Each structure stands twice: as structure tokens, then as C-alpha cells.
Amino acid sequence: MIKNKNKVAIISTSLGSGGAERFAALLSFMLEKSELEVHNIIINDAVDYEYSGKLLNLGERCDGSFFLFRKVKKGVLLHRYLNENKITNIIDNRPRNHLIREIITKLIYGKRKKQYVVHSYKLDNYFPKSVFWTKMLYQKADKIICVSDAIEEKIKQKFGFKNTIMIHNPHDFFKIEFKNEFSNVEKYILFFGRFDELAKNFSLMLEAFSISKIFDKGYHLILMGNGPDLDFIQDKIKMLQIEPFVKILPFKSNPFEQVQNAKFTVLTSHYEGFPLSIVESLALGTPVIAVDCNSGPREIINHEHNGLLIENDNPQAFSDAMNRLIDDSVLYDFCKKNASKSVEHLSLDIILKQWESVLS
């Protein structure tokens, strides 16, 4: 337990839909349990997830301003807020790939302790393209927090950093309401997350579902979320002529009932970090079929133990896995029985201890 009442700011793009944003919200609850004074600072005006602590919504405060003036105003407000509230620790949860912006941001942060979180194996999302400038900005940071082993190894190889540490994303057992009954009203498999083709590879998911013909066995595919590629997904569904068997539902900040009642959940991403959708699905007792992308799934899914881990970019293999988990009741029941236990080590209390060691 951290005894002194330090003040920590979790700085994120938003608290809206997305895995990194969901993580920021969970982290605020974790850190308040350590008797830290938590300040959530978000750049854009989007709040979907519950959070703990105080909130500075820079997007709301600067709404309506001219683009360049809005950027400058956000920086001024951030600098003033950090000083007035005597923030001692900064956890930067944002993408950080714009060099000039990050140089200015480092000046705003000043001499405070700084921890930078990396949520994706695609490092271009979290560091400037220049290796030289990345080293200049981050090699002396207090910590680079990597959410998977694969991300940490890649950062070490690319930049030679010695200030990295791996801390997995947690799930919140306390906020998940477990229900023992399984809904037999509708049979479905589920994807929940961001509608982003470049990252999530809906082409693979929909093609595999079409090939599998599990709809002939009464199963629908439900896609729950939001994002920029909704039109692309709808066009792909029409092209594959599977409209009667695919349902698209809006984003929900608490999708746990739908996750728990799914036969299994699916993930077909080109790349990931440490996907909370897999962790939360397993915590609710729902097996997962995921591709073996970089990074995350292979650090969560034990093949044929709590789900199936499938070669990436192979629609036939993913199709076969869907049918296997539906047809093989012994395998399915075994994976379902093991699901929640397999992520007990990712509970908030256990992950909190790792964060306490970084911040103390």
C-alpha cells in the first residue's frame, strides 16, 4: 500500500469506446484503492466508461475553438492544471506518434515522474517514427509500461530501452455481475470492440463465418461496437450474402450480459496489444477463438484449454475452429469450465500490486 497521498494524473485521448480508454477507467479505480489522489485528464470530449477520481475534460473545455487555438488552449490548461493540483506522477495513456506535439508535451510535464503506457504491438502508434527522437524523448522516462511481453521485447530490440516493464491489462471481477444461467433464446457468437478494419480485420472474420455455415446450425454473428468502418463492414456482409445471419449492435460500455450469453467470442485482428475483450470474455466464462496475432492472444489463450488460437489470415482455419467449438461439446465444455480461472491472475488486486511497485 502506498502510504503518502501522492497525486497522479492519468492522461488519455478520452474515456470513450476503446481498449486503451477502458484500461484508463479501470486504472483510476485501481489507483484510488492505493489511497492515491487520482486525476483523469482527457484530450477529447468522450466519456462512456465509469471512472474514479477527478476529471479534467480538455475537449469539453475547448469546444468550439479554432483548430490551432484549441490545441494551444489545451496545452495551456493542461500545464495550469498540473501545477495548480500539484500532480507528482503522470501516467500517459495516449498515442504519441506526433513528434512536435510530444516535444511540447514533455515540456508541459516538466520534472514530474512519468510513466508511458504502450497498448499496441504497432509501435508507430505510440512513438515518433524517428528512432533518434524516440530515444531523446523516452530513454530517461521513469518507466515505459508495456501491456504484453511481445511489446516489451520489440521495444527493447528497436530502441534499446532499459526502463521498460511489462504489466498486463486487468479485468474487473468486482464490476462484473456473474449469472449462472445461459440464455438459450438466441444462439450467437460475438465480437465486441472497435469497428476498425485496418486493426481488427473484419474481412477475415466475415469470410470465415460465411465459409463455416454455422448459421445453418442456428448461430448468428453479432458485432457490437462503433468505429469508422461501419459502412465497410455492412458492404462486406452484403457482398458475402450473409445479411440474415449477422446483427450489428451499438457500443455498450458494459456489454457483459451479451458476452456471457454468447457461445464464444471471436477476434481476428491484424495486430493487438493485450486485448481486454479476450480477458473480459474469459472472466465471464465465455471461451474465445482468436488469431495468433502480435501481440496478446498467445499470452492469454491456452489452445484447447480456454479457447482456440488459430493461424492468422487463414479464413478456412478460423472457419474450422468455429465449427469445432460448436460441434465438439466435450472440448467446448472443457474450455468453458477453465475460462474464468485462466484469467484470475489478471484481477484488479493482483495487477494493482505491480502498479504500486512502479509508483511507490
Side-chain angles (χ1 to χ4, degrees):
M1 180 70 68
I2 300 174
K3 296 181 180 179
N4 55 321
K5 192 74 170 180
N6 286 332
K7 300 181 179 184
V8 59
I10 305 170
I11 303 181
S12 303
T13 303
S14 75
L15 288 169
S17 59
E21 292 77 12
R22 169 75 172 145
F23 161 82
L26 289 175
L27 183 61
S28 71
F29 285 102
M30 279 197 294
L31 297 185
E32 282 242 318
K33 293 180 70 174
S34 284
E35 299 182 358
L36 287 165
E37 183 177 304
V38 177
H39 297 253
N40 301 277
I41 301 175
I42 56 175
I43 310 303
N44 299 327
D45 181 20
V47 181
D48 294 314
Y49 298 118
E50 293 181 12
Y51 61 89
S52 185
K54 300 178 181 179
L55 175 67
L56 171 63
N57 186 337
L58 293 172
E60 183 180 54
R61 294 280 294 273
C62 302
D63 185 40
S65 303
F66 176 68
F67 176 78
L68 182 58
F69 180 72
R70 185 166 66 245
K71 296 287 186 183
V72 173
K73 187 177 179 182
K74 286 181 179 180
V76 171
L77 289 175
L78 174 60
H79 182 264
R80 184 184 302 163
Y81 187 89
L82 295 174
N83 287 335
E84 289 178 352
N85 289 277
K86 297 181 171 60
I87 302 298
T88 54
N89 272 287
I90 290 173
I91 299 172
D92 191 321
N93 195 53
R94 306 169 301 121
R96 296 174 294 273
N97 51 6
H98 191 287
L99 177 58
I100 301 302
R101 182 186 65 202
E102 297 315 311
I103 292 173
I104 295 170
T105 300
K106 187 175 181 181
L107 293 174
I108 292 173
Y109 289 172
K111 296 182 179 180
R112 297 172 179 87
K113 290 187 68 176
K114 295 175 282 290
Q115 293 82 30
Y116 296 94
V117 186
V118 182
H119 284 283
S120 175
Y121 192 79
K122 189 177 181 181
L123 298 186
D124 287 350
N125 291 341
Y126 283 89
F127 297 108
K129 290 183 179 179
S130 167
V131 173
F132 171 81
W133 277 107
T134 296
K135 290 181 177 180
M136 291 292 291
L137 286 169
Y138 303 114
Q139 66 184 352
K140 293 185 179 180
D142 291 276
K143 285 296 178 185
I144 306 292
I145 312 292
C146 309
V147 300
S148 75
D149 289 322
I151 291 174
E152 183 179 23
E153 184 60 30
K154 187 176 182 181
I155 289 174
K156 286 180 176 179
Q157 289 180 355
K158 185 171 183 177
F159 304 117
F161 288 163
K162 297 181 180 180
N163 56 345
T164 62
I165 185 172
M166 194 282 293
I167 304 179
H168 284 144
N169 291 336
H171 66 78
D172 191 350
F173 266 120
F174 301 103
K175 300 182 78 64
I176 294 175
E177 296 181 2
F178 287 88
K179 299 177 182 178
N180 292 324
E181 72 274 11
F182 185 85
S183 173
N184 290 312
V185 175
E186 181 181 17
K187 298 192 294 186
Y188 63 90
I189 65 173
L190 175 71
F191 166 87
F192 63 109
R194 184 165 172 78
F195 293 166
D196 181 348
E197 168 65 12
L198 184 62
K200 302 301 183 182
N201 198 1
F202 286 94
S203 294
L204 171 61
M205 184 189 306
L206 294 171
E207 288 168 14
F209 177 72
S210 177
I211 294 169
S212 74
K213 298 192 182 302
I214 61 173
F215 40 81
D216 288 340
K217 301 171 184 177
Y219 285 89
H220 285 81
L221 169 63
I222 293 180
L223 309 177
M224 178 182 291
N226 59 22
D229 290 329
L230 175 60
D231 289 343
F232 172 88
I233 292 168
Q234 290 174 325
D235 289 343
K236 187 75 174 180
I237 292 169
K238 290 178 182 177
M239 186 191 77
L240 294 169
Q241 299 181 341
I242 51 176
E243 301 105 297
F245 314 113
V246 182
K247 295 184 179 181
I248 298 177
L249 300 179
F251 165 82
K252 287 185 66 175
S253 61
N254 186 336
F256 300 137
E257 182 177 355
Q258 287 78 16
V259 175
Q260 190 176 52
N261 288 334
K263 182 71 171 180
F264 52 83
T265 62
V266 294
L267 184 141
T268 54
S269 301
H270 288 295
Y271 58 86
E272 280 287 346
F274 193 78
L276 271 170
S277 62
I278 294 180
V279 177
E280 290 172 339
S281 180
L282 293 173
L284 287 159
T286 302
V288 180
I289 300 178
V291 296
D292 187 16
C293 66
N294 283 315
S295 68
R298 76 175 65 100
E299 296 178 33
I300 310 169
I301 296 176
N302 184 353
H303 184 61
E304 298 180 346
H305 180 82
N306 58 359
L308 300 178
L309 195 61
I310 307 303
E311 176 189 6
N312 206 353
D313 297 317
N314 188 332
Q316 185 63 57
F318 206 89
S319 165
D320 292 343
M322 290 180 178
N323 276 292
R324 187 179 178 202
L325 217 52
I326 287 172
D327 295 338
D328 189 338
S329 60
V330 174
L331 173 63
Y332 177 80
D333 291 343
F334 182 72
C335 290
K336 189 170 180 64
K337 181 187 71 173
N338 295 324
S340 61
K341 291 181 181 179
S342 70
V343 291
E344 285 181 348
H345 66 291
L346 300 174
S347 67
L348 282 186
D349 282 346
I350 292 175
I351 300 300
L352 171 58
K353 293 176 182 178
Q354 298 176 50
W355 275 98
E356 285 180 335
S357 69
V358 168
L359 297 174
S360 60

